[in-house]
Amino acid sequence: MSNHAATMVAHKHPSDVEGAKIGMWLFLFTEVLLFGGLFIAYAVYRSVYPEAFQTAAANLDTFIGAVNTLFLLTSSLTVVIAIVALQKDKQKMAVWMIWATVLFALGFMVNKYFEWSAKIHHGIYPGSPELLADHSKGEIVFYNLYYTMTGLHGLHVIIGLIVFFFVLYFIKRRPVVTEEMPYEILKNVRGTSRLAVVSEKGEELGTVAQLDDKVELVDIRLTYEPVAEKRDPRNFVKLENAGLYWHLVDVIWIFLFPLFYLIT
Amino acid sequence: MPSHTLDDTVQNGESYLDVKGRYTGVFGWIFSVDHKRIGLLYLGSVFVFFTVGILLGLFMRLEQMTMGETLMTATTYNRLFTLHGVIMIFLFIIPGTAGTLGNFFLPIQIGAKDVFFPRLNLLSWWLYIAGAVMALLAIFTGDGMADTGWTFYVPYSTQTGTNVTLALTAAFILGFSSILTGLNFVATIHRMRAPGMNFHRMPLFVWSLYATAWIQVLATPVVGITLVLVILERTLGIGIFNPAMGGDPILYQHLFWIYSHPAVYLMVLPGMGVISEIIPTFCRRTIFGYKAIAWSSVGIAAVGTLVWGHHMYVSGQSSTASIVFSFLTFFVAIPTAIKVFNWVATMYKASIRVEVPFLYALAFLFHFLIGGLTGLMMAAISVDVHVHDTYFVVGHFHYTMFGGSVFALFGALYYWGPKMWGRMYHNKTAIVALVLQLIGFNTLYMTMMYLGYQGMPRRYFDHLPQFHDAHLVATFGSWFLVSGLLLMIGTLLYSVFRGEKAPANPWGGTTLEWQIPTPPPLENFDEIPTITDEPYAHKEEAV
Amino acid sequence: MLSGASSFASLVDDAFFFILIISIIFFVGIVATMLFFVVRYHHTRNKKVANIEGNLTLEIVWTVIPTLLVMGMFYYGFIGYDTMRNVPDDAMEITVTGRKWSWTFTYENGFQATTLTVPKGRAVKANIESEDVIHSFYIPAFRVKQDAVPGRDTYLWFRATETGTFDILCTEFCGDRHAYMLSTVEVMSESDYNTWYAGTSGEQITEGGDLSAAGEKLVTLKGCIACHSIDGSPRISPSFKGLYGKMETVYTDGKERQVLIDDAYIAKSIKEPAADKVKGFENIPMPPQPLSDDEIKAITEYLKSIK
Amino acid sequence: MHENEHEMKYSTYIYVWLALVVLTWVTVAVASIDFGNAAVFVALLIAAFKSSLVVAWFMHLKNESATIKWMVATLFIVFAIFIGITFTDYPFR
Ligand code: HEA
Ligand code: HEA
Ligand code: CUA
Ligand SMILES: [Cu+2]
């Protein structure tokens, strides 16, 4: 250990939840605008081909669309419940709710799969000969948009699923906390012999009591057994951010549903 | 009175350049999450690409020296200006000022130890490198670099056999790198200001970065998805812009410029921020109209989102749209004018020291005025019908981007270089380089504007005889510019490794970066300062 | 300055000079003030600074004055544009077709040519269309420009005020030979024009009898020679010289095969160029050419004749 | 955990979810009524209402700081501008 120890830990500012939230929201903004570009395109083409859009929309199955809407809405509900549960230290409940979310998301994808494959089976997919031959330009545009927008949305659902698996992993894992110990605290613990100093490779170097005065910062790792009903605060933030992302996916679908399925 | 002087609190912390972390050597740099090292990483990589970009510019000029095919074929020329544009915009100037100077000085200027998300910051740089490598790969794979121009207009870009897909993917990734930087800066500015530093005590460079960051976050995703749509059309045949499938090629232009017009302010705002730092420092007095300058950055960013259609007056958009866009475009001139007037007013009753950074600030003003005022000419619809897509536009944007943003960046390197690497530059050489640049720059680009008004279209591999003499003059000017740039790069490199050691505050600056040691210690501040006064509080009596 | 040869020239130039003059006043004023301050308040001359933090009156003045001025500029640009977009009722119409990389002009009687001829003093409306990618129809001397957008018809109009020949350029990047997508417009006096126009006919070129001669005209008119040379010299696509009757290596659906170039193959190459891609040119797309069967026959005859 | 965090209740969210389900039903039901051109607006209006429920409750925007609320407002203004100004073009062609 040397007094360079400080550089071994990333500079950590005191954990600032508000800042992390700002970051997350800004990230969501970019997602909104990513879809935003497509919504602009949709708006433009709808204004150019109003009738064709209605004819084409009539060919999409409202029932599947509505069921999928319910799936996503419910999955959003299960996510918030998971968050509340974690806040109330009900870890098991939270885990169950995340699984429920995953299930609904899978249900959504399965539905989408059947919907797409039925359409593709009928020869309706971008650039297909049937589409180009039998449909008006407006309808072609409609289907192009439909595949792009629901496709991009589906991609987000898949990403969301992966994120939830990560969150599950974090909630269940044995937490290891690396913290920076400020100088003042270090001063106070210097005397104790109960804390061990360990090299980066893991070999024990002695006790804190034996540290010389030059050391100003140490990198400490706390490993503790998870108590069944105790949460690691950082998991909460992770779940919350995953939830924000998931709700956004939901919000986008709330618009996609009427725009593609209902305006007939 | 500067009340946040830290001289007494500063202790001899080790400079960030010497600190040894988990990794050493190159890895100590490319895996470092220290904002200062990341800033320098950007600086290094940006300058590599800048050199490539200017070389391409030089080749284009050489081709234009003669008529007909001499140096290269038309296809090569078309790839060159595409690559030149892509490099200069996505690889050089957008990450150039924000990524380099922003990363290095934003945390210091607000009294923070780092940016809010240090690891995300490193990720941005890695994404930048990934995008850059991909752009360069596009040259060697498939059928070679795209030949579409940096604007990638459909349907040409969906039909050409060249490697547009890879070039677009590169641009997409670079866009994400830029978004992450912006996001990081907004969070940093909101959450990490030193106690007492409210928004109206932030240095103006920080204000300009704040406005820039918002543009990065809000406009970039739109172009991201647009480029994806072109990729989808090329790979999967989803022709959202394809007229044969009912699509509208002009919609692509709307979506492209929704980002790319605000992007020009992304390029120039940080530069303007730099100028707002340099001027009061060398005038030794407080800045005139602090709030006006600060809020005009936000104003430019805001109005800048409303005007994209001025690139499309003759595209076939409706006349109504052209008129509305023209009307709105003129309003960006107002916040810009406010900045210019306040800068000049700052020189009134000042005590001016004419050092190289200050000379660059003057050069910035000189060029940017020309660039901006020609912008007004093109904003007037009937004039733009004539000059659109001619060398007049090329002249305009080199004046704003090169004469403006890039000169501001050069000025900043002289101004902040001593702080960044702790060494001074050689004064005389720097001045000679500047003079060469000025002569070359104006000969080159003023001539281009003349050519443009005569009707010389841009992106022309060859030119008609009546344009020949002016093209010769322009090429001649480019050689002066080359010499000036080479000399400058030489001087800067020399200063990095061999220059005299720089004092902590060579210019008598008042902002926080001048109150800490040179080069700054790893965590910038031992103790986070408390701010009680405006950033440019100079003493009345010069020392 | 570039001479102006249409009624718009003065509109555009006046707006330009109006802005230019204001710009020069501001530019010179600002740069001069700046330099004056640098000299006057150089630290060797002025040691005591005045930390003036701002001045609301000044701030307002230099916001309001530029605002008024730019509104003037907008107005100037707007009236010019307004005139450009409102076509007089008596305008004669011409269709301008842009394609890689040539222009074709079709007159009201159906006559087609690769250069434009217009009468002096009469309003001419050009209906602009594109067969492939975006081009832009630009006549610098007339100060007019309009993009040719596939799938969307655009227009412009002008009234030539001087006789003579002026350049037509393409100003939207459209590929390799963008810089050679040139033509000219000849402005004739009204009477000369009428005589010339009376001599043209909209009759199909293929109706003349000699098919090969018709084919020769067509390859120019339809822009084939923008890409295909007729003397065997290399361009971006196979030369027409010696093409007919030769064995060619092509890719069909990605598979390489040999074909004999005969009538049927030529017709297919023109209608569905993407079906067989000639080896060595497989990445250069040839746009499908909207030609009638007669025209294709004529071109085939012509190709036979250039061995 | 964090002092400024709100005590959350399961029931609130279940009510919000119920509202969302009902609104979904309303959109579907309303779609069969012929509003003519207004149909899009009705559908979008309901969608906007639904999404604001999600944003306000599920995403807790309601309890966030004024800064974040302002940021979200900025986002929507900017997006509205993008669409709005694009529409100076298409209807006037
Ligand atoms: C740093 C980059 C930058 C900046 C800052 C600007 C600034 C401006 N630009 Fe520029 N522009 C580009 C980069 C930039 N531009 C690029 C890259 C292109 C081409 C893209 C392509 O096609 O490839 C382009 C193209 C472009 C066009 C399209 C031309 C065409 O293709 O036909 C137009 C048209 O309106 C325009 C206008 C303006 C205006 C009005 C400003 C204004 O912001 C300028 C405001 C500044 C001033 C006006 C000067 C200071 C003010 C005063 C001194 C006050 C006194 C003046 C009065 C108000 C009277 N620009
Ligand atoms: C920051 C932006 C930036 C900068 C700095 C430059 C710099 C230069 N540009 Fe740039 N230019 C653009 C951005 C920029 N350009 C963009 C966006 C386009 C539009 C592209 C498009 O149409 O899509 C464009 C288009 C463009 C054209 C129009 C092409 C056409 O339409 O046909 C031309 C023509 O001459 C040109 C020339 C130059 C020149 C001569 C320089 C000079 O400044 C370069 C001067 C430097 C040198 C001449 C070389 C110096 C050399 C070194 C320092 C290194 C030497 C090293 C060794 C010898 C090992 N540029
Ligand atoms: Cu056609 Cu350029
Ligand atoms: Cu612009």
Side-chain angles (χ1 to χ4, degrees):
Chain A
M1 279 256 160
S2 70
N3 54 354
H4 294 317
T7 58
M8 283 187 215
V9 279
H11 322 245
K12 273 212 176 138
H13 40 84
S15 75
D16 174 357
V17 180
E18 170 79 1
K21 276 186 186 161
I22 291 182
M24 186 64 198
W25 277 97
L26 289 175
F27 171 71
L28 295 183
F29 288 6
T30 68
E31 291 280 350
V32 169
L33 286 161
L34 202 67
F35 279 94
L38 292 172
F39 278 112
I40 296 175
Y42 179 94
V44 163
Y45 286 131
R46 215 203 110 81
S47 80
V48 177
Y49 305 108
E51 287 88 19
F53 267 48
Q54 294 185 357
T55 340
N59 286 330
L60 293 184
D61 191 331
T62 316
F63 180 71
I64 297 193
V67 169
N68 262 350
T69 311
L70 290 182
F71 276 8
L72 277 195
L73 288 178
T74 317
S75 71
S76 264
L77 175 68
T78 49
V79 171
V80 265
I81 292 188
I83 294 174
V84 182
L86 208 55
Q87 199 197 30
K88 293 190 194 297
D89 280 347
K90 300 258 186 318
Q91 213 180 116
K92 280 221 183 82
M93 168 91 155
V95 170
W96 277 116
M97 281 299 141
I98 296 175
W99 277 112
T101 312
V102 167
L103 234 94
F104 281 116
L106 284 174
F108 178 91
M109 289 311 289
V110 169
N111 244 340
K112 252 288 62 89
Y113 169 77
F114 282 121
E115 200 187 2
W116 273 36
S117 42
K119 276 270 163 300
I120 293 173
H121 192 73
H122 283 105
I124 295 182
Y125 53 88
S128 73
E130 264 103 328
L131 189 59
L132 293 183
D134 308 341
H135 293 264
S136 73
K137 283 190 169 167
E139 288 171 67
I140 301 174
V141 172
F142 179 89
Y143 284 115
N144 278 341
L145 278 171
Y146 165 75
Y147 278 105
T148 322
M149 293 179 83
T150 55
L152 186 66
H153 181 262
L155 188 70
H156 278 78
V157 172
I158 294 174
I159 295 174
L161 276 171
I162 297 173
V163 170
F164 280 125
F165 283 124
F166 271 104
V167 172
L168 276 175
Y169 163 77
F170 280 118
I171 292 185
K172 293 191 147 174
R173 152 190 96 140
R174 261 175 102 194
V176 176
V177 186
T178 308
E179 282 294 347
E180 194 178 273
M181 186 182 274
Y183 187 52
E184 306 83 66
I185 304 183
L186 190 60
K187 261 196 305 205
N188 293 334
V189 297
R190 269 230 162 84
T192 58
S193 52
R194 287 175 54 209
L195 287 176
V197 179
V198 183
S199 81
E200 272 180 77
K201 293 192 192 84
E203 65 224 44
E204 223 169 274
L205 300 175
T207 61
V208 169
Q210 292 162 333
L211 279 182
D212 72 36
D213 278 357
K214 281 206 213 94
V215 178
E216 292 179 341
L217 274 178
V218 278
D219 170 2
I220 57 171
R221 299 220 168 87
L222 301 177
T223 313
Y224 57 89
E225 297 287 328
V227 183
E229 295 288 86
K230 273 277 179 262
R231 74 207 134 101
D232 177 343
R234 292 169 312 152
N235 287 339
F236 183 72
V237 176
K238 284 196 185 86
L239 178 59
E240 209 173 38
N241 282 345
L244 282 177
Y245 177 85
W246 191 251
H247 297 308
L248 185 81
V249 173
D250 191 11
V251 166
I252 287 164
W253 182 258
I254 289 178
F255 282 97
L256 290 181
F257 172 57
L259 288 182
F260 282 109
Y261 294 81
L262 291 183
I263 305 173
T264 49
Chain B
M1 271 299 294
S3 39
H4 47 243
T5 317
L6 290 178
D7 290 356
D8 40 357
T9 57
V10 164
Q11 53 97 237
N12 40 5
E14 206 173 3
S15 129
Y16 75 106
L17 292 169
D18 301 329
V19 162
K20 295 200 184 45
R22 186 173 323 189
Y23 306 100
T24 49
V26 186
F27 292 114
W29 284 86
I30 62 177
F31 293 130
S32 169
V33 292
D34 177 20
H35 69 103
K36 296 182 286 301
R37 287 198 173 202
I38 296 179
L40 287 195
L41 281 180
Y42 269 109
L43 184 65
S45 28
V46 151
F47 260 83
V48 169
F49 295 116
F50 179 57
T51 313
V52 178
I54 42 190
L55 274 176
L56 300 175
L58 183 69
F59 282 139
M60 287 191 289
R61 285 317 321 157
L62 289 177
E63 174 60 39
Q64 293 290 3
M65 259 183 86
T66 52
M67 288 193 299
E69 183 176 319
T70 33
L71 262 187
M72 58 185 88
T73 61
T75 325
T76 315
Y77 183 82
N78 299 342
R79 290 183 178 158
L80 276 192
F81 70 68
T82 307
L83 195 61
H84 171 80
V86 169
I87 286 184
M88 287 303 188
I89 289 187
F90 296 115
L91 291 178
F92 173 54
I93 192 164
I94 291 182
T97 348
T100 304
L101 302 168
N103 260 321
F104 202 106
F105 288 105
L106 170 90
I108 307 187
Q109 282 200 325
I110 60 173
K113 295 193 168 176
D114 206 323
V115 291
F116 196 88
F117 301 108
R119 273 181 296 179
L120 196 66
N121 203 12
L122 183 62
L123 178 67
S124 307
W125 183 76
W126 275 103
L127 281 178
Y128 168 79
I129 291 297
V133 167
M134 223 175 252
L136 296 182
L137 264 184
I139 308 177
F140 305 108
T141 53
D143 231 30
M145 183 61 198
D147 63 343
T148 55
W150 81 280
T151 46
F152 297 107
Y153 272 15
V154 294
Y156 186 76
S157 61
T158 57
Q159 293 176 4
T160 172
T162 51
N163 210 342
V164 175
T165 311
L166 200 56
L168 288 177
T169 317
F172 182 81
I173 294 177
L174 290 168
F176 261 84
S177 155
S178 160
I179 289 178
L180 294 183
T181 306
L183 187 158
N184 215 338
F185 284 2
V186 174
T188 309
I189 293 173
H190 271 284
R191 300 305 301 170
M192 298 187 70
R193 276 168 289 127
M197 179 173 284
N198 54 33
F199 262 71
H200 282 148
R201 283 190 190 142
M202 290 194 312
L204 290 165
F205 181 59
V206 178
W207 267 95
S208 71
L209 286 173
Y210 185 67
T212 310
W214 272 105
I215 302 180
Q216 284 173 304
V217 171
L218 293 181
T220 321
V222 180
V223 81
I225 191 68
T226 312
L227 301 184
V228 168
L229 288 179
V230 177
I231 295 176
L232 286 181
E233 177 157 358
R234 284 184 70 88
T235 51
L236 303 176
I238 310 185
I240 297 218
F241 303 122
N242 183 347
M245 297 190 182
D248 177 20
I250 300 172
L251 179 63
Y252 168 85
Q253 299 177 19
H254 276 298
L255 293 173
F256 180 82
W257 290 113
I258 281 181
Y259 162 76
S260 295
H261 179 79
V264 309
Y265 298 111
L266 236 161
M267 304 171 203
V268 84
L269 278 172
M272 292 172 157
V274 167
I275 301 304
S276 311
E277 296 295 320
I278 293 180
I279 289 184
T281 301
F282 291 93
C283 287
R284 287 290 154 84
R285 54 156 285 184
T286 187
I287 195 143
F288 192 92
Y290 171 87
K291 282 191 187 167
I293 298 185
W295 282 98
S296 64
S297 293
V298 180
I300 291 177
V303 187
T305 56
L306 308 175
V307 306
W308 71 82
H310 65 215
H311 296 271
M312 302 164 57
Y313 290 151
V314 301
S315 68
Q317 72 178 356
S318 76
S319 310
T320 318
S322 293
I323 292 164
V324 170
F325 279 122
S326 169
F327 181 75
L328 293 170
T329 298
F330 281 105
F331 284 96
V332 257
I334 309 304
T336 320
I338 291 176
K339 276 194 197 294
V340 171
F341 292 130
N342 281 299
W343 286 328
V344 176
T346 304
M347 297 176 201
Y348 176 66
K349 295 207 171 162
S351 183
I352 299 174
R353 261 143 253 252
V354 185
E355 298 285 346
V356 178
F358 189 72
L359 286 173
Y360 267 97
L362 296 185
F364 167 92
L365 274 167
F366 183 87
H367 291 146
F368 185 74
L369 277 173
I370 300 180
L373 293 166
T374 49
L376 293 181
M377 297 167 194
M378 302 190 298
I381 323 181
S382 64
V383 179
D384 189 60
V385 167
H386 175 49
V387 297
H388 171 71
D389 265 345
T390 65
Y391 265 72
F392 195 84
V393 182
V394 180
H396 157 75
F397 66 69
H398 281 95
Y399 263 97
T400 46
M401 290 202 288
F402 193 176
S405 319
V406 179
F407 270 66
L409 176 64
F410 292 167
L413 290 180
Y414 285 114
Y415 179 61
W416 276 325
K419 179 58 67 179
M420 291 197 271
W421 44 81
R423 288 169 191 274
M424 300 298 290
Y425 54 86
H426 187 267
N427 201 32
K428 285 225 179 72
T429 336
I431 294 178
V432 174
L434 172 62
V435 171
L436 282 173
Q437 286 170 11
L438 281 177
I439 298 174
F441 185 92
N442 288 289
T443 322
L444 172 57
Y445 296 114
M446 196 53 98
T447 318
M448 285 199 185
M449 294 215 218
Y450 165 79
L451 269 173
Y453 206 82
Q454 301 303 303
M456 169 73 208
R458 66 191 280 205
R459 297 174 175 172
Y460 260 35
F461 158 69
D462 201 352
H463 50 256
L464 292 166
Q466 67 263 37
F467 302 123
H468 189 61
D469 293 343
H471 269 301
L472 265 184
V473 174
T475 306
F476 185 62
S478 75
W479 296 339
F480 276 89
L481 192 52
V482 188
S483 339
L485 288 172
L486 281 178
L487 196 57
M488 185 198 70
I489 293 179
T491 321
L492 284 174
L493 282 179
Y494 183 85
S495 92
V496 172
F497 296 107
R498 294 281 158 76
E500 257 176 65
K501 283 245 183 288
N505 189 357
W507 318 122
T510 53
T511 37
L512 286 176
E513 75 272 26
W514 301 116
Q515 321 301 330
I516 59 174
T518 288
L522 182 71
E523 301 221 299
N524 304 340
F525 302 95
D526 263 359
E527 229 166 90
I528 298 294
T530 303
I531 281 61
T532 53
D533 206 351
E534 56 137 330
Y536 307 105
H538 281 271
K539 297 188 184 72
E540 299 239 316
E541 199 73 49
V543 257
Chain C
M1 270 287 141
L2 173 67
S3 68
S6 83
S7 55
F8 297 145
S10 62
L11 267 179
V12 170
D13 291 350
D14 288 353
F16 178 71
F17 282 116
F18 173 73
I19 305 176
L20 184 66
I21 287 166
I22 296 183
S23 298
I24 289 179
I25 295 173
F26 271 93
F27 178 72
V28 172
I30 293 171
V31 172
T33 318
M34 186 170 92
L35 293 179
F36 170 73
F37 284 168
V38 171
V39 175
R40 170 64 189 80
Y41 299 113
H42 194 262
H43 70 102
T44 49
R45 271 178 218 91
N46 196 32
K47 292 248 184 290
K48 193 169 158 55
V49 303
N51 268 329
I52 310 168
E53 294 199 341
N55 181 321
L56 189 63
T57 329
L58 267 181
E59 219 63 76
I60 292 174
V61 167
W62 63 46
T63 307
V64 171
I65 293 182
T67 310
L68 294 178
L69 286 174
V70 294
M71 286 302 92
M73 298 176 188
F74 164 72
Y75 179 70
Y76 244 110
F78 163 72
I79 46 169
Y81 184 70
D82 200 43
T83 325
M84 287 175 178
R85 297 317 289 167
N86 290 313
V87 190
D89 295 334
D90 62 345
M92 57 178 269
E93 298 204 18
I94 286 171
T95 303
V96 177
T97 310
R99 72 174 78 77
K100 286 175 178 168
W101 289 283
S102 61
W103 299 104
T104 303
F105 303 98
T106 312
Y107 290 79
E108 275 158 335
N109 64 1
F111 173 73
Q112 290 192 320
T114 50
T115 56
L116 180 60
T117 308
V118 295
K120 182 182 150 187
R122 244 178 65 204
V124 179
K125 180 184 182 204
N127 295 308
I128 304 168
E129 55 189 42
S130 164
E131 283 177 6
D132 37 47
V133 298
I134 302 180
H135 304 274
S136 194
F137 180 65
Y138 178 35
I139 311 178
F142 291 178
R143 311 285 190 274
V144 291
K145 179 183 289 134
Q146 182 68 49
D147 282 5
V149 185
R152 182 170 153 64
D153 294 340
T154 52
Y155 70 90
L156 58 76
W157 79 276
F158 55 81
R159 194 192 301 275
T161 53
E162 269 171 44
T163 55
T165 308
F166 306 97
D167 291 316
I168 293 176
L169 308 158
C170 172
T171 47
E172 186 61 65
F173 180 69
C174 54
D176 268 358
R177 295 182 66 81
H178 164 60
Y180 299 108
M181 192 166 158
L182 308 169
S183 181
T184 49
V185 48
E186 191 175 354
V187 182
M188 296 178 168
S189 67
E190 182 88 50
S191 57
D192 286 355
Y193 176 80
N194 288 339
T195 337
W196 174 84
Y197 190 63
T200 65
S201 96
E203 188 177 280
Q204 289 296 312
I205 295 174
T206 46
E207 277 162 34
D210 183 354
L211 271 184
S212 172
E216 185 170 4
K217 277 191 198 141
L218 277 170
V219 291
T220 316
L221 196 56
K222 301 293 180 185
C224 315
I225 54 162
C227 301
H228 300 273
S229 77
I230 47 176
D231 54 5
S233 62
R235 287 236 172 114
I236 67 141
S237 54
S239 172
F240 279 161
K241 191 178 164 76
L243 194 62
Y244 192 88
K246 144 179 164 196
M247 290 299 286
E248 186 86 88
T249 316
V250 298
Y251 292 103
T252 311
D253 289 330
K255 276 192 226 64
E256 201 176 312
R257 66 180 183 115
Q258 292 277 321
V259 291
L260 176 70
I261 299 190
D262 55 8
D263 292 32
Y265 173 78
I266 289 179
K268 196 172 171 211
S269 294
I270 295 172
K271 285 184 177 151
E272 292 172 60
D276 300 307
K277 304 291 295 175
V278 179
K279 187 173 183 178
F281 302 96
E282 58 272 13
N283 283 325
I284 305 166
M286 164 172 159
Q289 304 291 325
L291 298 184
S292 69
D293 289 344
D294 287 344
E295 288 169 332
I296 292 178
K297 211 177 283 163
I299 289 178
T300 315
E301 280 313 306
Y302 170 64
L303 292 188
K304 284 182 193 162
S305 75
I306 43 170
K307 283 286 175 214
Chain D
M1 58 165 335
H2 310 292
E3 322 77 59
N4 59 352
E5 214 154 79
H6 270 246
E7 181 58 30
M8 303 194 260
K9 272 200 250 127
Y10 295 127
S11 55
T12 336
Y13 296 114
I14 295 179
Y15 291 137
V16 174
W17 174 77
L18 276 175
L20 288 169
V21 173
V22 171
L23 283 169
T24 307
W25 177 78
V26 172
T27 356
V28 178
V30 157
S32 51
I33 309 174
D34 188 17
F35 282 108
N37 270 334
V40 198
F41 292 100
V42 175
L44 284 181
L45 209 71
I46 303 179
F49 187 64
K50 276 166 73 180
S51 51
S52 34
L53 286 183
V54 175
V55 173
W57 267 278
F58 285 1
M59 297 170 88
H60 323 295
L61 185 62
K62 214 164 57 66
N63 304 330
E64 295 298 359
S65 63
T67 317
I68 294 185
K69 284 182 187 155
W70 270 111
M71 288 181 174
V72 175
T74 312
L75 170 75
F76 284 104
I77 295 170
V78 166
F79 185 58
I81 287 173
F82 286 168
I83 288 213
I85 309 192
T86 310
F87 272 77
T88 57
D89 182 0
Y90 289 88
F92 297 97
R93 280 196 175 167

